[in-house]
Amino acid sequence: MQKFSRAALLKALIPGVVLSLSMVGCKDPNAGNTTGGSGSTESNSTAATQDTSGDKIKVGQYASLTGETSTFGVESNAGLTFAVEEINAAGGIDVGGKKMQVEVETQDDQSKPDEAKTIAVKFAADPKVVAVIGEVASSRSKTAAPEFQRAGIPMISPSSTNPDVTKVGDFIFRVCFIDPFQGFVMAKFAIEELKLKKVAIMRDPQQDYSVGLADVFKDEFTKMGGEIVADVSYNAKDSDFRSQLGQIKGAGADGIFIPGYYNEVGTIARQAKELGITVPLMGGDGWDSEKLVEGAGGPGKALEGAYFSTHYSKDSKDTKVQDFVKAFTAKNGKAPASLVAQGYDAMMILADAIKRAGSIERKKVRDALAQTKDYAAVTGKITIDGDRNANKSAVVLQIKGAEFTYVKTIDPK
């Protein structure tokens, strides 16, 4: 397999690109373990018995480096890369008293679920892979996860929030909160902070993330005494959302919840403004991209004053956050976005689990991940619960110009 430098990756964001970040080091992967998936579709994958020889810890990553949501993959990869550089600069991970360097092989899934599955099959057949980090989007994580479960390879999603992702099996983890909590956060914020009583929802039925978050928000908002006056569907590939927005305007909504991704939200907001809709717009962590405001016509335009929930704020006064922001900014010339922090946390939590396991055997790494408790991550203190989800707080940010400014932290209920 051809290897590329990190710089070469960022220059060559084309379908099928393969990045291998190889950092010089000491040792590599361990013992094989294969388990069956739970409720997954049939696969042609061939799980390889783990090869523990060598002098490096090989970690696989699959991410959307190109395609419709390329910002997600590029940012998450930047965080993971920063973590690996930090780990290796410190001598590597202490594995049973021996320092081992980390090597990452990154595959571009082009923002396509089918491609994510193809990559998962490839990683499952690689005896050197200790664990895999990915994906950001829930639909792609759900497609790939059964392959890693069958192969007995721990998979850690930095930010897939759909609850079904980790239900695939006991080798599938995430380091982010899930939609039932995120939906609760935005419903609570809408009721208590924005004082909204009638809200409309715009959802993309083809995205697991959008459907799951919309359903939870709807349930929580009505439980809290609010009313959903319209619940309309759209297709992210569309360019005209005026029909749906017209329905919402006619329903008398005093707020709109749009649990979509950044690449369509900007267009929706722009067309809403053209139709004279001025009520608050709200969303989830799928909005969290530096390209969000650009799609809405630029700073101070259609998304000015809108709110969304996400995993961290660079404005946090926490010392760990500020140290991370300062170090990343010094190296990369800009502050880290939320997905950068999540990619960083995913890799650092994996490194912590390997150290605690004292082994790179996949099953032992899996067990250590499951025992993660009160890990002081950049995005907050993380404990992995019995369903392999992260129990952690969420933050609500408001869009002001080109900045996402901190508004409020909401803890798990």
Side-chain angles (χ1 to χ4, degrees), residues 72-91:
F72 288 164
V74 170
E75 290 181 352
S76 182
N77 175 65
L80 179 146
T81 299
F82 190 66
V84 170
E85 290 173 344
E86 190 174 290
I87 290 166
N88 287 342

Side-chain angles (χ1 to χ4, degrees), residues 113-384:
D114 288 347
E115 189 63 25
K117 179 176 180 178
T118 298
I119 292 168
V121 170
K122 175 185 179 298
F123 279 144
D126 187 339
K128 293 290 188 179
V129 172
V130 176
V132 172
I133 293 177
E135 228 268 6
V136 169
S138 296
S139 57
R140 297 191 286 271
S141 287
K142 286 175 65 176
T143 302
E147 306 303 332
F148 298 121
Q149 179 64 26
R150 269 187 281 270
I153 297 175
M155 173 190 128
I156 306 172
S157 169
S159 56
S160 290
T161 55
N162 185 280
D164 290 341
V165 170
T166 52
K167 291 178 182 178
V168 169
D170 60 350
F171 276 78
I172 312 302
F173 296 80
R174 74 179 107 217
V175 295
C176 59
F177 51 64
I178 58 177
D179 288 335
F181 176 55
Q182 185 171 205
F184 162 79
V185 165
M186 289 311 294
K188 180 181 176 71
F189 185 79
I191 290 280
E192 296 183 0
E193 303 297 324
L194 300 182
K195 310 300 182 184
L196 303 182
K197 301 193 181 305
K198 297 182 178 182
V199 168
I201 296 173
M202 284 188 71
R203 67 171 79 200
D204 180 356
Q206 298 184 56
Q207 291 288 350
D208 294 324
Y209 164 78
S210 185
V211 172
L213 187 48
D215 286 345
V216 174
F217 177 89
K218 184 175 186 175
D219 182 54
E220 295 288 353
F221 189 73
T222 52
K223 277 187 197 173
M224 295 177 194
E227 178 186 358
I228 302 299
V229 295
D231 188 345
V232 300
S233 297
Y234 70 88
N235 187 317
K237 297 185 186 301
D238 291 343
S239 59
D240 189 344
F241 306 97
R242 293 177 181 83
S243 175
Q244 295 94 325
L245 290 166
Q247 293 178 54
I248 289 172
K249 186 175 181 179
D254 53 17
I256 307 175
F257 183 61
I258 313 169
Y261 290 130
Y262 69 90
N263 47 341
E264 71 257 16
V265 168
T267 303
I268 291 172
R270 197 170 63 248
Q271 292 177 5
K273 189 169 185 178
E274 290 171 2
L275 291 175
I277 296 174
T278 58
V279 300
L281 304 183
M282 302 169 288
D285 62 325
W287 286 29
D288 201 343
S289 166
E290 62 184 13
K291 292 189 176 181
L292 174 66
V293 173
E294 177 186 316
K301 300 297 183 179
L303 277 170
E304 184 70 11
Y307 300 90
F308 65 91
S309 55
T310 192
H311 307 262
Y312 118 118
S313 170
K314 62 181 175 57
D315 299 324
S316 169
K317 302 304 181 186
D318 183 88
T319 302
K320 189 176 185 72
V321 174
Q322 286 309 305
D323 288 346
F324 170 70
V325 171
K326 189 179 299 182
F328 185 88
T329 303
K331 184 174 180 60
N332 297 277
K334 62 179 180 179
S338 179
L339 281 169
V340 175
Q342 290 168 263
Y344 177 88
D345 281 350
M347 184 62 234
M348 296 304 272
I349 285 177
L350 173 58
D352 176 68
I354 291 172
K355 180 179 179 180
R356 286 186 287 107
S359 170
I360 49 176
E361 181 181 342
R362 293 165 177 169
K363 176 63 166 60
K364 291 181 179 179
V365 173
R366 189 225 78 86
D367 292 345
L369 281 169
Q371 294 163 9
T372 300
K373 183 176 176 60
D374 293 334
Y375 179 84
V378 170
T379 59
K381 191 174 288 186
I382 293 176
T383 292
I384 300 299

Side-chain angles (χ1 to χ4, degrees), residues 80-117:
L80 179 146
T81 299
F82 190 66
V84 170
E85 290 173 344
E86 190 174 290
I87 290 166
N88 287 342
I93 301 173
D94 186 337
V95 184
K98 181 178 288 189
K99 288 280 191 175
M100 298 177 66
Q101 298 271 299
V102 178
E103 176 187 73
V104 179
E105 179 183 316
T106 297
Q107 295 271 343
D108 176 16
D109 62 32
Q110 305 164 43
S111 303
K112 299 175 182 177
D114 288 347
E115 189 63 25
K117 179 176 180 178

